[in-house]
Amino acid sequence: MKIKELADIVSRDPRFTSGHRMCGGCATPIIVKSVLASTRKPVVVASATGCLEVASTIYPYTSWDVPWIHSAFENAASTISGVEAAYNALKRKGKLKGEIKFVAFGGDGGTYDIGLQALSGALERGHDFVYVCYDNEAYMNTGGQRSSATPFGASATTEPAGKVKPGKEAWRKDLVRICAAHDIPYVAQASVSNLVDLTDKAAKAFEAHGPAVVVVLSTCPTLWGTKPSMTIETARLAVDSCFWPLYEISEGLYKLSYRPAKKIPVAEFMRNQSRFKHLFMPGNEHVIGHIQRRVDEEWVKLLSLCGEKE
Amino acid sequence: MSGLEKKCKKKMVPLTGNYAIAAAMRQINPDVVAAYPITPQSAIVEQFARFVANGIVDTEMVRVESEHSAMSACIGASLSGARAMTATCSAGLALMWEMLGVASGLRCPIVMPVANRALSAPINIHCDHSDSMGARDFGWVQIYSESAQEAYENVFLALKLAEHPDVQLPVMVCEDGFITSHCVQNVELHDDAVMKRFVGERKPEHSLLDLKNPITVGAIELQDYFFETKRQQEEAMGHALKAYLKVGADLSRVTGSKYPYFDSYGLEGAEAVIVTMSSAAGTTKAVVDRLRHDGKKVGLLKLRLFRPFPYEQVRDALRKAKCVGVLERSFSFGAYAPLFSEVRNSLYEAGKKPKLQSYVFGLGGRDLLESDVEEAFKELLAGKTTGGMEYKGLR
């Protein structure tokens, strides 16, 4: 899909409408609209508890003009499993006609952490659905507590930077490869900065026969401390520094989606964010150095998996 | 046809409680079963899986990775207009805790057999009611079964009650773990076609799969709406109390059994009454028979419907007794035991109240002996109450 076509669809698409109460500059509504724009088939949506759910369905209002369900935090994948099972049963019994696509949206807390078991179960069982993780790298709905997606060195409210601690002391979990280990047809990593790539991936995910997962970096101006106008640019720095590479694993085959013309230092991505502010104080240079080394190592590993030369 | 001939014509089959429940599920042929195995419930799921494997039912079976996901998937399926069922007990029910409240809050008519088993710790796989009693305030209707026959028929009762337009609430059908779930009893299975006709089709008012009328389910409600929604849920429980008898009467026409709130066994003119639920009622009946034969005025109130609780009816049934003992299989730590608490509540408005005694027995599957029940009756006949909790079968 070309960006103009995407813009056209998004501007006319009533399935997820404005009027929701996501923060100014939040990347998640952009991600949701782009994902929905990537299929013309009818969709039923499930959301995990989180920013998207809380801000888009404050009773008696809803931003959703498609069937939408939220049941709890850790179970978007098992909830949509039940919806998909009902669809299969009712279709088999002749009570339902036509094709429906199923998509679940969860934040990183509801996916990497508390929802990982439900997701793993749904992937193993092979339900035909798409799971989109909008990853803003912490529990942003509740004020920025650390998750297993929070980057090393970031300050989170439950693992803050202090006099003796540099913020989060563990590397973030690799959700893409965890999902790929379930041997599902399609897994991809995408970013709000590259919307054409995101919609291509979402389209492939919808067309895959079986479960598909797309993990999307979702800038959080409110708790990353970035300007709302810098949402796309911040995510672009994550991609161009290879902190957040864009790639897919289709039928087990790794493919790099984008290679930065010039790989920028990861500090460029981190510099304007309040959650990394402490790392730019004197004495913390080694932490940034550590992050840079690890990002470089991961990038080399990924290139090799994708059959690309360094 | 004489009564005996009728009895002989009945299709009696030797079945465990679990297999009897699985037979009911086969006859219902739900759209979706999402379940996770746990002792002593497993045989329900295993037997149903055989029905699926052999094409006897055309249910979509979701073999989830946990009970939390079992209930989550049932909720998703139920809100998609499907008939959804699961089964569990003990730790599995505890793992579902969060989703139990969601199922009732989102008004999902899910039916869930529970093979009552003790909650950890210490870990124990045998029967008591700490699991379902712990879930008594989650907005589920709870029906308790004395026998495999009752468990079998209660599944149908539960289904039609859950789907009743005035109710739309999930229902648990409890049977005693091992005692009922694993004991082979003679069960009369009703005709497949008759039961199929009885359960009919589910006709949901709303469905997630209705693309023309998209709904938002599970929205956030804050100070401005939450209270009203929960009050509607409480109202539905009131409707369930009425609908229970109506659905029971309908089912009665098919099965010939009766489905009152409770069974009265020798209650007429009884001075000493034991109130209990589930399999303990069988033991108690044997003792009532013997003591009645000896001229002792004893009786049994076997409660079937615990949620919603039939306060008025229990009060009317017990008010004339001199002494009532409540025999139950769970604690409510630091408070009156759950069933005793409700019986005591029932009697508050009675002008002349019987004396009351709380007995706890059989935790972790310890047998209830006839001698335990007889001893309790003797204490009650003598008007001996202690004001506290007493135990039967405790060393």
Side-chain angles (χ1 to χ4, degrees):
Chain A
M1 194 185 299
K2 297 263 164 47
I3 192 78
K4 270 192 175 171
E5 192 190 341
L6 174 62
D8 187 48
I9 294 173
V10 164
S11 65
R12 288 184 291 106
D13 191 351
R15 289 178 292 178
F16 181 72
T17 61
S18 58
H20 55 72
R21 305 182 202 184
M22 304 291 277
C23 303
C26 173
T28 302
I30 306 171
I31 293 166
V32 171
K33 279 174 165 283
S34 303
V35 168
L36 293 180
S38 66
T39 181
R40 295 185 179 202
K41 291 181 180 149
V43 290
V44 173
V45 178
S47 289
T49 307
C51 297
L52 177 64
E53 166 265 330
V54 162
S56 67
T57 64
I58 304 181
Y59 190 87
Y61 304 104
T62 181
S63 287
W64 300 90
D65 199 28
V66 290
W68 180 93
I69 177 174
H70 155 257
S71 74
F73 189 13
E74 65 277 55
N75 64 351
S78 40
T79 303
I80 203 87
S81 295
V83 178
E84 191 249 12
Y87 164 76
N88 290 334
L90 296 176
K91 219 172 165 182
R92 191 164 58 234
K93 293 179 183 191
K95 294 180 185 176
L96 198 72
K97 287 193 180 82
E99 193 184 1
I100 301 177
K101 294 288 177 188
F102 300 94
V103 55
F105 290 98
D108 49 289
T111 309
Y112 286 69
D113 284 348
I114 201 164
L116 187 65
Q117 175 180 319
L119 177 62
S120 173
L123 300 183
E124 183 265 340
R125 292 190 298 272
H127 297 277
D128 195 357
F129 78 116
V130 177
Y131 192 99
V132 177
C133 174
Y134 61 97
D135 185 349
N136 50 27
E137 304 198 309
Y139 292 85
M140 298 320 196
N141 183 41
T142 49
Q145 297 78 16
R146 68 90 96 179
S147 78
S148 55
T150 301
F152 186 95
S155 187
T157 59
T158 49
E159 199 170 352
K163 282 180 183 155
V164 296
K165 294 283 187 184
K168 191 181 167 191
E169 290 186 293
W171 198 257
R172 76 177 183 92
K173 204 186 267 180
D174 189 339
L175 182 66
V176 172
R177 285 205 277 157
I178 290 168
C179 292
H182 291 76
D183 200 19
I184 56 173
Y186 191 76
V187 193
Q189 183 156 288
S191 164
V192 72
S193 55
N194 299 56
L195 290 177
V196 171
D197 176 66
L198 169 60
T199 49
D200 283 350
K201 284 171 176 164
K204 284 182 193 172
F206 277 119
E207 289 314 309
H209 297 288
V213 179
V214 184
V215 186
V216 194
L217 187 66
S218 183
T219 318
C220 175
T222 306
L223 290 161
W224 290 10
T226 50
K227 286 184 189 157
S229 59
M230 296 300 280
T231 290
I232 303 296
E233 184 54 26
T234 304
R236 193 185 313 285
L237 295 173
V239 172
D240 282 346
S241 63
C242 299
F243 169 85
W244 191 269
L246 306 182
Y247 68 106
E248 63 180 14
I249 307 167
S250 181
E251 302 295 348
L253 285 176
Y254 278 71
K255 189 173 164 229
L256 199 65
S257 318
Y258 168 82
R259 189 164 187 159
K262 182 173 174 289
K263 184 168 169 280
I264 61 170
V266 73
E268 297 296 306
F269 163 60
M270 296 157 68
R271 193 179 310 281
N272 294 316
Q273 299 183 39
S274 59
R275 58 182 179 152
F276 295 120
K277 195 174 60 188
H278 57 286
L279 298 183
F280 293 90
M281 304 291 187
N284 279 334
E285 297 82 357
H286 67 284
V287 182
I288 297 182
H290 172 76
I291 296 170
Q292 184 65 62
R293 276 192 299 280
R294 182 75 187 258
V295 165
D296 292 345
E297 280 168 23
E298 301 276 342
W299 175 243
V300 169
K301 252 194 274 178
L302 180 65
L303 287 177
S304 148
L305 286 166
C306 295
E308 300 260 344
K309 285 185 186 144
E310 273 183 48
Chain B
M1 216 177 340
S2 75
L4 186 65
E5 281 172 322
K6 265 189 195 165
K7 224 174 191 173
C8 292
K9 273 206 78 173
K10 282 180 179 175
K11 272 185 274 176
M12 302 299 274
V13 251
L15 288 178
T16 63
N18 279 349
Y19 275 29
I21 286 171
M25 291 170 70
R26 170 181 63 74
Q27 291 179 318
I28 290 168
N29 190 17
D31 301 307
V32 174
V33 167
Y36 186 83
I38 179 170
T39 304
Q41 155 268 35
S42 298
I44 300 174
V45 182
E46 291 164 346
Q47 178 72 342
F48 193 78
R50 279 181 216 115
F51 295 147
V52 173
N54 293 311
I56 295 166
V57 292
D58 56 1
T59 302
E60 189 78 7
M61 194 164 176
V62 188
R63 281 84 172 185
V64 283
E65 81 300 329
S66 73
E67 288 88 353
H68 193 282
S69 282
M71 189 46 63
S72 302
C74 281
I75 289 166
S78 183
L79 293 168
S80 301
R83 269 197 174 132
M85 294 184 74
T86 183
T88 194
C89 65
S90 185
L93 186 65
L95 189 57
M96 276 182 193
W97 234 240
E98 178 194 22
M99 300 318 295
L100 293 178
V102 177
S104 56
L106 293 181
R107 308 294 295 276
C108 300
I110 296 163
V111 173
M112 176 166 69
V114 173
N116 282 119
R117 164 185 155 183
L119 279 177
S120 290
I123 189 167
N124 175 296
I125 58 167
H126 293 282
C127 178
D128 68 37
H129 292 178
S130 52
D131 51 0
S132 57
M133 279 300 152
R136 67 193 184 277
D137 289 336
F138 277 82
W140 283 61
V141 173
Q142 290 191 341
I143 307 172
Y144 288 77
S145 324
E146 178 188 338
S147 62
Q149 184 71 43
E150 280 188 16
Y152 164 69
E153 291 177 7
N154 282 341
V155 176
F156 295 99
L157 179 61
L159 183 83
K160 294 307 277 184
L161 179 58
E163 292 178 4
H164 191 286
D166 297 341
V167 179
Q168 301 290 314
L169 287 171
V171 183
M172 275 179 216
V173 174
C174 302
E175 58 161 350
D176 278 351
F178 286 109
I179 301 165
T180 307
S181 72
H182 283 60
C183 263
V184 177
Q185 305 177 17
N186 274 326
V187 178
E188 182 196 357
L189 292 185
H190 304 296
D191 186 69
D192 284 0
V194 170
M195 296 324 285
K196 189 180 173 184
R197 203 158 50 241
F198 176 77
V199 299
E201 300 274 316
R202 185 184 168 204
K203 294 188 185 77
E205 213 176 317
H206 307 285
S207 160
L208 280 169
L209 300 179
D210 179 1
L211 300 168
K212 287 191 187 124
N213 301 292
I215 51 168
T216 287
V217 193
I220 181 170
E221 292 185 20
L222 301 171
Q223 294 91 328
D224 48 357
Y225 283 98
F226 182 86
F227 201 172
E228 283 72 24
T229 299
K230 294 316 265 187
R231 194 209 163 222
Q232 286 178 355
Q233 194 184 326
E234 169 56 21
E235 240 169 42
M237 268 293 193
H239 296 157
L241 193 64
K242 289 189 192 120
Y244 175 89
L245 293 180
K246 163 79 176 63
V247 174
D250 293 345
L251 181 58
S252 199
R253 280 191 281 279
V254 174
T255 61
S257 309
K258 298 269 182 275
Y259 308 93
Y261 296 136
F262 49 81
D263 291 357
S264 303
Y265 195 83
L267 269 192
E268 200 60 39
E271 288 175 5
V273 174
I274 280 179
V275 179
T276 193
M277 300 197 298
S278 300
S279 67
T283 313
T284 308
K285 281 176 190 169
V287 178
V288 168
D289 287 348
R290 204 168 58 241
L291 294 182
R292 277 276 178 182
H293 185 260
D294 294 345
K296 304 279 196 300
K297 290 180 177 170
V298 297
L300 159 73
L301 187 152
K302 178 190 86 180
L303 192 75
R304 289 164 172 261
L305 184 69
F306 184 78
R307 280 290 181 273
F309 196 88
Y311 290 104
E312 270 181 53
Q313 294 78 6
V314 168
R315 182 182 70 218
D316 289 346
L318 294 179
R319 66 201 312 171
K320 286 184 187 150
K322 284 192 177 149
C323 204
V324 172
V326 180
L327 205 53
E328 65 191 297
R329 270 190 196 270
S330 67
F331 283 125
S332 170
F333 294 105
Y336 291 130
L339 181 57
F340 177 76
S341 183
E342 301 301 11
V343 170
R344 195 172 189 272
N345 280 338
S346 303
L347 289 163
Y348 183 79
E349 274 114 2
K352 188 173 153 281
K353 297 179 186 66
K355 292 172 90 175
L356 284 175
Q357 180 61 51
S358 172
Y359 294 108
V360 171
F361 75 96
L363 297 195
R366 180 160 301 171
D367 281 337
L368 176 72
L369 305 178
E370 285 188 26
S371 56
D372 296 328
V373 179
E374 190 167 340
E375 189 181 65
F377 269 130
K378 280 184 177 155
E379 288 159 5
L380 297 169
L381 281 167
K384 275 209 303 196
T385 55
T386 60
M389 209 169 332
E390 295 300 318
Y391 303 97
K392 290 298 167 204
L394 180 75
R395 284 204 306 277

